[in-house]
Amino acid sequence: MDWDATSAFTPVGLALRGQPAHRIVRTLGDAAYMLLKDWPSDDGEEYVTAVKACVDAISGEITPQQFWHAFLRAADEAGIAALTIVHR
């Protein structure tokens, strides 16, 4: 299990309503916490897909990059603005 693979996928910044207003997801652990604790709605199809993809990525069944795409689709479904973080 690789919860904290920092180079596993491109970090993404999320703009949330409420507190905290902004969040940066850098690792699978960050994403899991975000999906289970801070997600605004847990009833969307893309949300359920992202939760399953997170578990699959943590267990090594899919790549973290495959999870990242599912995570972004869930953010879009929930109306969360997502910005890719670029490091130079």
Side-chain angles (χ1 to χ4, degrees), residues 6-77:
T6 56
S7 63
F9 57 82
T10 304
V12 61
L14 303 173
L16 305 167
R17 296 178 199 106
Q19 295 297 324
H22 304 284
R23 190 83 176 262
I24 297 176
V25 176
R26 294 181 178 91
T27 67
L28 293 171
D30 290 346
Y33 185 89
M34 180 74 197
L35 286 166
L36 297 176
K37 297 288 186 182
D38 291 334
W39 211 254
S41 174
D42 63 359
D43 63 352
E45 184 176 324
E46 295 295 347
Y47 169 80
V48 172
T49 299
V51 170
K52 182 181 181 324
C54 190
V55 171
D56 290 347
I58 289 168
S59 65
E61 294 180 36
I62 66 170
T63 67
Q65 193 66 24
Q66 288 171 305
F67 160 72
W68 187 80
H69 291 290
F71 186 74
L72 292 180
R73 287 191 305 272
D76 184 54
E77 174 185 70

